[in-house]
Amino acid sequence: PCTYILAGRSSQLEDADKFMSLKTKDEVRKYLIAEEGMKVPAEIEKRSQVIFKSNQIGEAIQKIEAAGGKAVYRSVDAKDSKEFKSFIKYLKNEYGKVDGVIHAAGILDDKLFADKTWESFENVYLTKVNPLEVIVSTLLPDLKFLVMFSSVSSAFGNRGQSDYAAGNSVFDLLSIILLEKKVPTRVLSFNWG
C-alpha cells in the first residue's frame, strides 16, 4: 500500500472512462467508426493510438489500486532533462521522498546504421540515457531501489538497433559501476529478450 507515480509521454484522456471497456486497438477502431462516425483511416489510426495508450494507463492505475496502492499518472518527457528534473523536484516536494524508480522508458526506430540519422539515433538513445542521468544525479544514493528495463540487444545486438543497444548498454554498465561502488541502493538491470 504505497503511492506509485506513473510517468510517460502519453497523455491520459479527460474522457478516458468512456473508452475503458475497449480492450484492443481493433475494438477502439470499430468504436470510432460506429459511434463517432470517423471515416479517414489515418485519423482513425491516430485517434485509436491515443485512446489505446490512455486505456493502458487507466488499466495500470486500476490494477495498482485494486491491490491496495494509490496510483497517479503524470505526462512528462523524460528525455528532456530539464523537464524531468523539474518533475523529480515536484515529486520530492509533493511526497517528501522517492523510495524507488523503475526506469522502463524506451522507443524504437529500427534502421541499419548506414541509414540512421543523428536525430533518430539521439531520440532513441537519449530516451534511455537522459532520464537515467537525472535519476542518478538527483536521487542516488537515497533510493532504496533502481530497476532498469534493459534489453538483450545491449549484449548481442539486434539488426537496426545500434542506438537502442547503446542506450541499454549504459543501463548494464551503470548497474556494474554502482555495484562496485557499493551504493546502498538495490540496482537491477533486466535484459529483456
Side-chain angles (χ1 to χ4, degrees), residues 40-95:
V40 180
E43 291 174 7
I44 294 167
E45 190 58 32
K46 185 176 179 181
R47 178 83 171 130
S48 68
Q49 278 288 98
V50 170
I51 292 169
F52 186 71
K53 285 182 179 181
S54 180
N55 283 354
Q56 288 179 309
I57 294 165
E59 188 177 321
I61 290 170
Q62 286 176 351
K63 286 179 179 179
I64 290 168
E65 292 181 347
K70 180 179 183 220
V72 177
Y73 181 80
R74 294 286 183 258
S75 180
V76 61
D77 182 359
K79 187 180 77 173
D80 180 332
S81 295
K82 185 176 179 183
E83 182 179 340
F84 196 57
K85 280 180 187 174
S86 178
F87 175 67
I88 297 290
K89 184 177 180 181
Y90 156 78
L91 292 177
K92 287 180 171 180
N93 289 338
E94 183 72 18
Y95 299 98

Side-chain angles (χ1 to χ4, degrees), residues 3 12 35 52 62 65 80 84 102 106 116 167 177 186 190:
T3 302
Q12 192 171 21
E35 301 298 324
F52 186 71
Q62 286 176 351
E65 292 181 347
D80 180 332
F84 196 57
I102 300 172
K116 176 100 27 202
I177 291 169
R186 174 76 167 121
F190 287 103

